Amino acid sequence: MLKILKYSFYDLMRSRWSYVYFLFYLLLGIVLLFLNNNLNKAVITLMNVIIVLVPLIGTIFGVMYYYNSKEFTELLLAQPVKRSSIFLGQYFGVALSLSMSLIVGLGLPFVFYGIFNSSAIWDFSLLLVTGTFLTLIFTALAFVIALANENKIKGFGYAILLWLFMAVIYDGVFLMSLMYFEDYPLDKFSLVATMLNPVDLSRVLILLKLDISALLGYTGAVFQQFFGTRLGLVLSTVTLALWVLVPTLFIYRMARRKDF
Amino acid sequence: MIQIDNLHKKFGKNQVLKGIDLTIDSGGIFAVLGPNGSGKTTLIKSILGMVIPNSGSIKLNGASVKRNWQYRNDIDYLPQIANFPGNLTVKELIRMIKDLRSDKPADDRRLIELFKLQPFLDKKLSNLSGGTKQKVNLVLTFMFDSPLVILDEPTTGLDPISHLRLKKLITEEKKKGKTILITSHIMGFVEEISDEIVFLLEGKIYFRGTIPELKTKTEQPDFEHAIASMLSSSYA
């Protein structure tokens, strides 16, 4: 698997899009620091961008890479290589190169601004960790979708729908259900609903770490009580890890059964 | 060498292979023939494990190919359409495939020489013509010394000189005692090089034997007509 990972990674490092993605984050970091002139504020603004953008890029890149490397895949399938190694290698190749663009692109301006001497270092690290998690999760989901759909256009469509659902529609439905059932105690429900969507979970994690939960009112207090504890942190990390693991298992199983 | 029992494969509602039983012994050139859509490529891809059969078994040297991948170390495969990752150069591609089979010696220099590929080594694969791609494809296939060679339409896009070189190459490989499976639509080519033919029709083996046997069976003096008469009698 490592050999495949290496070649996928090289292949991507040579593609123009990795650089575009890297430069985008570099520019974003610089502009935010320049405009805010304050590390903590820059981290908050960055969170809002990352939470929505990272899943989008992960999904699109994942689907695009899968369909574009079809020839490469077919070449590899006739070689003495395990099937699951081919697909897992490609998946990790994409996810790692995206994560690297994110970490290096955002990291450089913040390092030069002096993040190491500031109290925001932990918030910023958490931001990068959740960003990496989101990349891993959404690239895996994209691979699952692409493996299930022979048709490129359909694959792209489903992938975009998935992103739209997770990043936008889910929140809408969640809020509406809160309004509709407002006569009932909803703290448990909202906790579970937040845990089930990686985008929401990442957002809540960062918000609480930034200590601005007071802005969230009563819900914030409930969330703080849960996510602020060690149990909450462990549980949410486990949930994020599960969100990576389950789609990866799907990739493994689907790759074993597919015809080429 | 290869033993196939009662192989079935369906793609959606399309039943492509309907119970193939085939035993191929070591050594010799076997041509798999049949009209378009008769299941030749599906059969070959099943042997390679790229297509997973619905039922039936395939054994290579006594071991089942199901859920196994090491056996592909003993197979060299030439795919029908030469599609390569476009942003690699020819040299890098050859190096990569060698790296994936790192425990095997590779004979790429001689083959690059044979097909006159030196001027293309540093070019990207997306910029090569169809025939040149096919030559690269041939180098990748023949550079390892595996006991089983599978060629899916090896002559596609080749110029007459390369065609001659390919024929020479195939006969040389045969002399080493290898088993070679070929599919082709060019009957002259098949007649010239193959020892035995396997004729597929609608997912079943319709005929298996040598070319003289086929000619006597169909009472036709030449090979091309013999094939044609088999097709027309089956459709009648």
Side-chain angles (χ1 to χ4, degrees):
Chain A
M1 187 178 92
L2 285 176
K3 271 181 192 167
I4 310 286
L5 198 160
K6 187 179 82 184
Y7 284 110
S8 293
F9 191 76
Y10 279 165
D11 184 31
L12 278 163
M13 279 295 114
R14 212 181 279 181
S15 108
R16 195 162 18 115
W17 288 107
S18 299
Y19 290 102
V20 171
Y21 190 48
F22 167 73
L23 286 176
F24 170 77
Y25 277 118
L26 195 70
L27 213 69
L28 184 73
I30 294 170
V31 167
L32 283 182
L33 283 172
F34 182 72
L35 289 179
N36 283 312
N37 222 350
N38 175 322
L39 273 172
N40 281 310
K41 278 187 192 158
V43 170
I44 296 174
T45 321
L46 210 52
M47 178 206 79
N48 283 315
V49 180
I50 281 188
I51 289 296
V52 177
L53 209 65
V54 164
L56 179 67
I57 305 268
T59 346
I60 291 188
F61 240 75
V63 178
M64 211 165 70
Y65 186 81
Y66 177 87
Y67 288 122
N68 272 345
S69 59
K70 234 176 153 117
E71 288 116 37
F72 182 47
T73 313
E74 278 175 19
L75 185 72
L76 291 175
L77 280 166
Q79 301 297 325
V81 186
K82 225 166 134 182
R83 261 186 182 213
S84 49
S85 322
I86 297 176
F87 292 97
L88 291 180
Q90 288 184 347
Y91 157 60
F92 283 116
V94 177
L96 285 184
S97 81
L98 285 180
S99 309
M100 225 179 71
S101 296
L102 173 79
I103 293 171
V104 178
L106 282 181
L108 280 180
F110 277 79
V111 166
F112 282 118
Y113 197 83
I115 185 90
F116 286 120
N117 304 320
S118 119
S119 57
I121 173 83
W122 292 114
D123 300 342
F124 185 66
S125 318
L126 182 73
L127 191 75
L128 290 186
V129 169
T130 43
T132 308
F133 260 122
L134 285 176
T135 308
L136 285 169
I137 291 168
F138 279 87
T139 314
L141 290 172
F143 262 72
V144 170
I145 289 174
L147 271 166
N149 290 287
E150 222 21 57
N151 185 334
K152 243 186 212 188
I153 308 290
K154 260 191 186 168
F156 262 104
Y158 286 134
I160 298 284
L161 267 183
L162 172 85
W163 170 78
L164 202 67
F165 177 78
M166 290 292 204
V168 184
I169 299 172
Y170 190 90
D171 282 355
V173 174
F174 182 34
L175 277 178
M176 287 219 308
S177 57
L178 286 188
M179 300 263 282
Y180 195 75
F181 296 108
E182 64 184 338
D183 297 337
Y184 301 91
L186 285 169
D187 37 352
K188 284 237 171 63
F189 166 76
S190 50
L191 274 180
V192 171
T194 308
M195 294 283 268
L196 285 181
N197 183 343
V199 176
D200 280 342
L201 185 60
S202 314
R203 182 185 292 135
V204 168
L205 263 180
I206 299 172
L207 278 180
L208 291 171
K209 186 80 188 65
L210 289 176
D211 243 358
I212 44 174
S213 51
L215 293 176
L216 295 173
Y218 172 69
T219 338
V222 175
F223 274 47
Q224 179 74 58
Q225 228 174 40
F226 178 72
F227 288 106
T229 59
R230 187 165 296 166
L231 176 77
L233 196 72
V234 169
L235 217 60
S236 28
T237 317
V238 169
T239 315
L240 282 178
L242 272 179
W243 265 104
V244 180
L245 208 67
V246 172
T248 312
L249 275 177
F250 266 98
I251 295 177
Y252 179 80
R253 288 181 55 127
M254 289 166 94
R256 268 210 328 213
R257 291 185 187 163
K258 202 170 154 68
D259 293 318
F260 290 90
Chain B
M1 174 125 219
I2 309 174
Q3 199 190 339
I4 299 172
D5 286 312
N6 199 19
L7 195 72
H8 284 83
K9 179 66 195 175
K10 240 199 268 183
F11 288 111
K13 279 182 188 160
N14 186 10
Q15 179 99 34
V16 181
L17 299 180
K18 301 170 186 164
I20 301 252
D21 294 295
L22 181 65
T23 313
I24 289 177
D25 302 319
S26 285
I29 300 177
F30 299 84
V32 180
L33 306 178
N36 303 113
S38 57
K40 300 183 296 282
T41 300
T42 308
L43 178 65
I44 281 175
K45 284 188 167 177
S46 308
I47 297 174
L48 281 160
M50 291 169 80
V51 166
I52 294 159
N54 296 108
S55 65
S57 77
I58 302 172
K59 282 181 186 157
L60 218 82
N61 297 322
S64 171
V65 304
K66 209 175 173 186
R67 299 265 160 90
N68 192 348
W69 54 274
Q70 284 98 341
Y71 76 94
R72 282 199 285 271
N73 255 316
D74 297 330
I75 303 180
D76 291 333
Y77 168 60
L78 180 95
Q80 190 170 33
I81 302 159
N83 269 334
F84 298 121
N87 49 358
L88 287 179
T89 65
V90 177
K91 223 190 220 163
E92 285 168 327
L93 180 70
I94 292 175
R95 202 190 303 141
M96 184 183 89
I97 298 295
K98 273 159 83 174
D99 186 29
L100 288 173
R101 296 196 182 196
S102 47
D103 47 346
K104 283 197 134 187
D107 192 15
D108 50 324
R109 287 231 184 95
R110 182 179 65 93
L111 290 163
I112 290 169
E113 185 83 28
L114 179 70
F115 288 111
K116 306 275 177 275
L117 280 172
Q118 293 96 331
F120 302 103
L121 283 180
D122 289 314
K123 290 213 170 116
K124 283 199 172 178
L125 284 151
S126 50
N127 299 332
L128 298 185
S129 74
T132 316
K133 271 190 195 164
Q134 184 69 356
K135 288 183 194 168
V136 174
N137 207 357
L138 285 165
V139 171
L140 291 178
T141 310
F142 283 104
M143 68 182 179
F144 301 107
D145 200 16
S146 306
L148 175 61
V149 182
I150 299 177
L151 308 170
D152 201 349
E153 299 279 357
T155 53
T156 317
L158 290 183
D159 55 50
I161 302 173
S162 311
H163 195 120
L164 283 174
R165 288 188 188 126
L166 173 68
K167 266 192 274 191
K168 211 173 132 228
L169 193 64
I170 293 176
T171 30
E172 274 169 24
E173 296 295 304
K174 184 193 156 190
K175 277 184 198 146
K176 292 185 197 163
K178 292 186 180 182
T179 313
I180 302 169
L181 274 185
I182 295 182
T183 75
S184 180
H185 284 296
I186 300 173
M187 289 304 141
F189 176 71
V190 172
E191 189 175 13
E192 205 173 320
I193 60 161
S194 60
D195 299 320
E196 243 183 85
I197 63 165
V198 175
F199 193 86
L200 288 184
L201 200 64
E202 289 168 3
K204 279 186 178 156
I205 294 180
Y206 191 75
F207 173 83
R208 155 99 200 252
T210 60
I211 293 170
E213 277 169 20
L214 176 72
K215 285 179 187 166
T216 30
K217 192 189 170 194
T218 53
E219 295 164 357
Q220 292 285 342
D222 74 52
F223 180 52
E224 213 157 354
H225 282 94
I227 294 283
S229 100
M230 253 201 306
L231 278 177
S232 51
S233 67
S234 73
Y235 284 132

